[in-house]
Amino acid sequence: MASVASTNDYANFLCDTRQVNEGTLIWARKQLNGKGQRGNHWESENGLCLTLSIVYFPDFLSLEKVNFLGVFAALAARDFLHYYFPNPDFKIKWPNDLIVNNKKIGGVLIENNVQGGKLQRSIVGIGININQENFGSKLPDAISVRQITGRKTELSDLINPDLFRIFDQYFLALKEGRFSELLNDYNTHLWGKEINKTFSTPQENIIAQPINLNFDGTLTIRDVKGRSFAVSWPDYKLNLRD
Ligand code: BTN
């Protein structure tokens, strides 16, 4: 599709108005009004970023495991980046930001539809900065593939069977209930692991080390006094900068 306000909104619209198969991917060259997490706007310069959404029907997943959708999507998006650009060390910042060189290269927005206490559908939206080189003063911590590789990438080259293969592989792990495997994989790529980082809470900023993601979506952290405890997002927000 040439342009659309938000690929997530368009995917939801398609699901509401007609039959859409699981795995349907909506890709917009230009996303005019992209949505980020927690009501934020997702900025991407026209035609320079990968902005796509994939439709899933994870009705097999109990609501207490809903956070695993974020785990699967972040892992798949990270693996996808790693597959095309093997050298940079792509990390996942809790809960599901994609990071390289301590800067944000991409993000994941999951919108779930729950009916009768059951998950019906999930729109997994992925935004990755590919060719953008200027982010302006509002986004000082953004980075793109082009900035780290020095090369321009044709966006349409990235939409191919490998993308589907990678996302299918992680979705299958979710479907088969391989939660420990997903968690281990996530924790292997956790950004800032065992390094002092700053967390913002509504009251204060605290210095603590991300230790590992837990089954319930909480993150175990260790503060400077050596005390470990589990925290929830967004009560605790992990900052990119100290
Ligand atoms: C974030 O880090 O805040 C999540 C950003 C997700 C952006 C993607 S771009 C494709 C899809 N459509 C949207 O409107 N948002 C997501």
Side-chain angles (χ1 to χ4, degrees), residues 78-221:
R78 196 214 77 89
D79 206 12
F80 165 75
L81 270 171
H82 175 70
Y83 178 77
Y84 280 100
F85 312 102
N87 282 326
D89 190 13
F90 296 105
K91 295 285 186 193
I92 302 170
K93 181 165 83 65
W94 179 69
N96 45 30
D97 286 344
L98 300 167
I99 305 295
V100 67
N101 297 350
N102 293 324
K103 294 195 174 225
K104 181 160 170 170
I105 195 160
V108 174
L109 174 68
I110 298 184
E111 292 180 298
N112 294 320
N113 186 298
V114 177
Q115 273 169 34
K118 282 201 72 167
L119 260 175
Q120 299 294 339
R121 98 179 163 232
S122 291
I123 306 297
V124 172
I126 311 282
I128 301 177
N129 304 325
I130 302 290
N131 293 320
Q132 188 162 338
E133 291 187 284
N134 300 306
F135 293 96
S137 55
K138 277 199 286 178
L139 294 172
D141 294 319
I143 196 169
S144 68
V145 167
R146 185 163 187 178
Q147 286 173 315
I148 44 173
T149 62
R151 289 195 316 271
K152 193 168 182 285
T153 304
E154 175 48 53
L155 294 181
S156 57
D157 288 348
L158 300 173
I159 309 285
N160 70 28
D162 288 318
L163 188 157
F164 291 96
R165 177 182 54 75
I166 291 166
F167 276 80
D168 281 357
Q169 178 193 323
Y170 285 95
F171 191 66
L172 186 66
L174 191 67
K175 207 166 192 170
E176 292 181 348
R178 289 187 266 132
F179 300 115
S180 303
E181 193 181 313
L182 286 166
L183 218 47
N184 283 341
D185 211 351
Y186 182 102
N187 285 323
T188 301
H189 300 297
L190 182 64
W191 176 78
K193 193 172 168 143
E194 297 182 15
I195 297 172
N196 279 349
K197 294 288 172 195
T198 305
F199 288 81
S200 299
T201 77
Q203 291 77 33
E204 56 180 349
N205 281 355
I206 68 159
I207 309 290
Q209 301 180 350
I211 302 298
N212 61 271
L213 182 73
N214 302 305
F215 271 89
D216 60 2
T218 59
L219 183 76
T220 295
I221 65 175

Side-chain angles (χ1 to χ4, degrees), residues 67-81:
N67 60 293
F68 274 92
L69 284 166
V71 171
F72 125 76
L75 281 171
R78 196 214 77 89
D79 206 12
F80 165 75
L81 270 171

Side-chain angles (χ1 to χ4, degrees), residues 4-7 9 30-36 40-42 44:
V4 73
S6 153
T7 56
D9 285 353
K30 298 180 185 178
Q31 182 171 247
L32 305 174
N33 197 13
K35 301 190 296 183
N40 290 325
H41 189 64
W42 176 258
S44 49

Side-chain angles (χ1 to χ4, degrees), residues 222-238:
R222 190 187 300 128
D223 71 12
V224 287
K225 291 189 174 148
R227 296 173 300 202
S228 295
F229 49 100
V231 298
S232 301
W233 187 87
D235 302 341
Y236 280 71
K237 289 206 200 85
L238 175 52

